[in-house]
């Protein structure tokens, strides 16, 4: 699902300065299933990614991440981002797109 969502959204890309929302393609669910990673290692990956985004791209810092969307399509949804270490403070204002049954 993450890959399809990313491919679809790439067709809608505009100049970042004009964007209202930013999709962050982390592929956390893919990492869980394809790499057979545990939740803690995927959480660490999410934390490293958000720190990189915050330090590299001015658009994340401009609104404190509130205009950034992260997809967590695993059955446990956003718990993937929280396992072991809790939510990264930089993600507190971001939107999580999650699976729900």
């Amino acid at each position: 699902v993450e890959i399809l969502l990313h491919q679809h959204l790439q067709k809608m890309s505009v100049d970042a300065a004009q964007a209202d929302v930013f999709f962050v393609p982390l592929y956390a669910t893919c990492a869980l299933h394809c790499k057979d990673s545990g939740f803690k290692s995927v959480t660490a990956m999410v934390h490293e990614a958000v720190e990189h985004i915050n330090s590299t791209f001015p658009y994340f810092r401009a609104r404190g991440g509130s205009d950034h969307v992260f997809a967590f399509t695993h059955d446990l949804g956003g718990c993937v981002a929280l396992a072991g270490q809790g939510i990264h403070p930089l993600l507190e204002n971001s939107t999580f797109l999650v699976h729900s049954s």
Side-chain angles (χ1 to χ4, degrees), residues 57-77:
F57 302 103
Y59 302 105
F60 189 88
R61 291 187 307 272
R63 294 192 181 133
S66 64
D67 52 0
H68 282 62
V69 177
F70 295 81
F72 297 103
T73 58
H74 187 273
D75 288 348
L76 296 176

